Amino acid sequence: MQRRLALALTISLLGCASNDGPPGGGGAAGSSGTGHGGAGASSGGAGNAGVGGATQAGGSGGTSGSAGASGSAGKGGGAGSGGGAGGAAGAGKGGAGGVDAGAGAGGTAGTAGTAGKGGASGAGGVTGPDGASGSGGNAGSQADAGLDAARDAERDAPDAAADVSADGPIQGAQAFHCVNWADPRDNFVNGNLELSGLSVATDTYATVQAKANDILGEFQTKVKADSIRIPINEPTVSGTWWGAYKGVIDTAVGKGMKVVIAYWAYQNGRPADATAFRNMWQTVVSAYQSNNLVYFDIHNEPYGYAGSTWNDAAAQWLADFPGVPRGRVIVAGTGYDDNVNSVGADPRFAGCILQLHIYGFWHTDWTAKQQWTDSMKSALGPYAARTLVGEWGAPMTTGTDYTNTADGDAYRSYVIAVSNVMHDAGMGSCYWPGLRNADSYSMTRLSTGGSPLTLTVTNASGLARLHWAWNVP
């Protein structure tokens, strides 16, 4: 979202102000500054566990692999850049120390011809017990190679989500009580995406499942979310990390949550390689097309497409994947998802969900609620009923009290106004972000250690406005 700070919108004024709604709880005190601080440098990578030796056909597992080396300490993050007008620079997040990797577990004994693999079982994703010594078992391989081998097996295994009953009716845009779960670096990443709390260096499918189970459970109980929106890109899906990353999706649908899988272009607002883009989506669609809890967000903020070329690109996606139900396809508004009128009027997108983004930093001089109300209604046009607000958010760690409904502050007026528009229209939305480490907009903060992982709400009054937008008590 940091790349969108320079966007300026000029939108005609129409509509009227809405009911401010019930007051929420007081805002929690937080750090100063309303601007987005840049994320700090990532932590040092932990050594990965070695993978156990291969089992004999139908036989028992190999010996366990050697312990991975301890990761080196991460470098401290630099200072984050200042945000909107008047925002103080946020502090960069320092890297955490590396964690010692444990020894790789031996493979599970083969049953019905299925070979056990080191550290984790197949489709179930649960780490297998140490197998008995196999007559021909080899020693565990080097740690990094072993983790890649385990992820290769996980990537190619049947999806655990296939065992979840998700064949109910498709839910429309209004049904989303959703939060974005984001990478601390923002999701515009040239490489593997690493959601806050996950580790590309050490996590397997099983550990991603365990972490996701904790975090998603906290979203459900503390935020009252029933959906998440997560990013993908070409490297994340094409490499070995995809085998582990799927643990987030599979765990969410196992909890009955809807999942929006959204593509983030690294730069320039469009894919660098059309073939790689299509191949990425082919992998994702093949895995989750049959699951009605999974939705496909073709392209986040396609600002690299001029005029009607975005409409044509989105229509091509539909032609490439005709088996995906239209009701589970999300088509971004033009530019930075800032207006849905063009895609809404295009008959090629009949039945698809549309998506709008709206942020307070776009107009830091708009201190009246009516300005935000008029702008949002204009951007929606007559398509509010089929539009998901895929991103909206404001500073939550700065102590702002969103129970104060008076004009005079740009972010406060923005939050009150846009939540009223969504409430009155019965719209669904995905708050940005539900969780992103070191982001002042984040609705929750992740515990730094221990198990299970827990979340703390950063601003009770902000959460109350989110619940008002969702029409939940």
Side-chain angles (χ1 to χ4, degrees), residues 41 52 82 175 311 326 337 405 419:
N311 292 42
R326 292 294 187 95
D337 282 50
T405 62
S419 62

Side-chain angles (χ1 to χ4, degrees), residues 275-322:
T275 300
F277 173 76
R278 188 187 185 284
N279 290 342
M280 172 202 69
W281 271 119
Q282 183 63 67
T283 299
V284 176
V285 168
S286 295
Y288 295 106
Q289 177 174 314
S290 63
N291 193 313
N292 280 351
L293 289 175
V294 179
Y295 292 70
F296 306 100
D297 186 345
I298 299 173
H299 195 310
N300 175 76
E301 299 183 350
Y303 62 87
Y305 293 89
S308 63
T309 58
W310 164 238
N311 292 42
D312 294 337
Q316 183 60 54
W317 192 98
L318 293 174
D320 288 341
F321 304 104

Side-chain angles (χ1 to χ4, degrees), residues 184-196:
R185 300 164 291 180
D186 210 334
N187 295 337
F188 299 99
V189 172
N190 186 20
N192 287 323
L193 287 154
E194 186 175 63
L195 304 184
S196 296

Side-chain angles (χ1 to χ4, degrees), residues 2 36-42 74-82 89-95 438:
Q2 291 163 317
H36 271 334
S42 59
K75 293 170 63 178
S81 60
K93 182 176 169 66

Side-chain angles (χ1 to χ4, degrees), residues 47-139:
N48 300 314
V51 173
T55 61
Q56 302 301 302
S60 54
T63 59
S64 64
S66 60
S70 174
S72 60
K75 293 170 63 178
S81 60
K93 182 176 169 66
V99 180
D100 292 336
T108 55
T111 58
T114 301
K117 62 175 183 279
S121 67
V126 180
T127 301
D130 291 340
S133 177
S135 58
N138 299 318

Side-chain angles (χ1 to χ4, degrees), residues 71-381:
S72 60
K75 293 170 63 178
S81 60
K93 182 176 169 66
V99 180
D100 292 336
T108 55
T111 58
T114 301
K117 62 175 183 279
S121 67
V126 180
T127 301
D130 291 340
S133 177
S135 58
N138 299 318
S141 60
Q142 186 179 9
D144 287 343
L147 185 61
D148 284 347
R151 286 176 176 168
D152 280 338
E154 290 166 349
R155 180 186 60 195
D156 298 334
D159 293 306
D163 298 329
V164 176
S165 177
D167 56 357
I170 297 172
Q171 301 177 60
Q174 296 176 325
F176 284 82
H177 302 158
C178 174
V179 292
N180 283 274
W181 184 2
D183 189 303
R185 300 164 291 180
D186 210 334
N187 295 337
F188 299 99
V189 172
N190 186 20
N192 287 323
L193 287 154
E194 186 175 63
L195 304 184
S196 296
L198 302 187
S199 171
V200 171
T202 60
D203 279 340
T204 64
Y205 180 87
T207 56
V208 168
Q209 276 196 312
K211 291 178 177 181
N213 186 65
D214 292 345
I215 291 171
L216 295 171
E218 293 285 86
F219 282 154
Q220 289 177 310
T221 58
K222 293 183 177 178
V223 184
K224 299 184 180 180
D226 63 12
S227 322
I228 57 169
R229 182 172 180 257
I230 61 171
I232 57 169
N233 61 15
E234 296 88 346
T236 299
V237 174
S238 64
T240 59
W241 176 233
W242 176 240
Y245 195 77
K246 289 189 298 182
V248 173
I249 304 167
D250 298 345
T251 303
V253 299
K255 289 176 167 292
M257 300 181 78
K258 295 180 287 297
V259 181
V260 175
I261 303 176
Y263 170 72
W264 254 259
Y266 164 57
Q267 59 185 359
N268 302 324
R270 61 187 301 161
D273 185 320
T275 300
F277 173 76
R278 188 187 185 284
N279 290 342
M280 172 202 69
W281 271 119
Q282 183 63 67
T283 299
V284 176
V285 168
S286 295
Y288 295 106
Q289 177 174 314
S290 63
N291 193 313
N292 280 351
L293 289 175
V294 179
Y295 292 70
F296 306 100
D297 186 345
I298 299 173
H299 195 310
N300 175 76
E301 299 183 350
Y303 62 87
Y305 293 89
S308 63
T309 58
W310 164 238
N311 292 42
D312 294 337
Q316 183 60 54
W317 192 98
L318 293 174
D320 288 341
F321 304 104
V324 177
R326 292 294 187 95
R328 288 169 47 211
V329 177
I330 299 175
V331 180
T334 51
Y336 288 81
D337 282 50
D338 52 62
N339 193 298
V340 300
N341 284 280
S342 176
V343 291
D346 194 324
R348 293 176 292 181
F349 306 132
C352 296
I353 294 174
L354 311 179
Q355 183 168 211
L356 181 77
H357 293 180
I358 184 168
Y359 279 108
F361 64 78
W362 289 352
H363 298 285
T364 56
D365 58 337
W366 286 8
T367 60
K369 295 187 296 295
Q370 191 64 50
Q371 291 171 292
W372 291 108
T373 299
D374 293 343
S375 175
M376 186 172 185
K377 288 186 175 182
S378 177
L380 287 168

